[in-house]
Amino acid sequence: MDKEAAAMIGAVVLAGGKGKRMQAGMNKQYLTVEGRSVLSCAIESMAAVAEALIVVAAKGEEDKAWKAVSESGVDKARVQVVEGGKERQDSVRHALAAMPETWEKVLIHDGARPFVPKDMLERILAATAPGIGVVPGLSVTDTIKRIDASGFIIETPPRSQLRAAQTPQCFMAQEICALHLAVADSGQIFTDDAALYEYGGKRVRMVEGDAMSRKLTVPDDMLWAIEMKHAWEAQKQ
């Protein structure tokens, strides 16, 4: 990838998790939905707006990741595959360290969310700016309770203020890279990239997500994925 090229949009697709709750005996990103691997769909989704992509694979699964790239139909010249780390945070850092300096904005995406509508990606990118990261989210329909260590309810937050976060999360590429490198040896673990961004004194805005961008977590989700794959393919036409 040419570092002298114009500023571009990049995407990191994380595919190193084992997904034990899926009970598949393998990395869930390589499970198939009607003949397509979950990861290949996630890569294709991100490629709708990203000019270059970095796929983070678990050690020893790099060939599987490249196979998913081929299945996605995305030109391999647009893609790098890097080895992940022990924690998700380490994997993101490895990817960001490998990105070219020309990346202006970076989408950081969970490879277990295969179907992401293009209009959602465009909303995310449009809201991202220097010092402002973006997370897509959905309104919460259940009443949420906060409890203490003994299980007693201590708070019922108003649902109007709650959202279920999704990915991809988006940031100015050099900003989030600098933050990841700054905490690399600190031992601090952040629940997601937005939490790290906030720790760095920056703001994170939430925009409307999409039910299609659901994370595949348990076996029943694979049945739902068939229906969503049809909807995802229809919206591309």
Side-chain angles (χ1 to χ4, degrees), residues 119-140:
D119 61 347
M120 172 176 148
L121 294 169
E122 290 171 341
R123 282 197 298 276
I124 294 167
L125 287 167
T128 305
I132 300 175
V134 176
V135 176
L138 295 175
S139 299
V140 175

Side-chain angles (χ1 to χ4, degrees), residues 89 93 178-190 196 199:
Q89 186 170 310
R93 186 178 70 254
L179 287 169
H180 268 282
L181 293 176
V183 301
D185 300 318
S186 69
Q188 294 173 282
I189 301 296
F190 296 87
L196 170 59
Y199 171 81

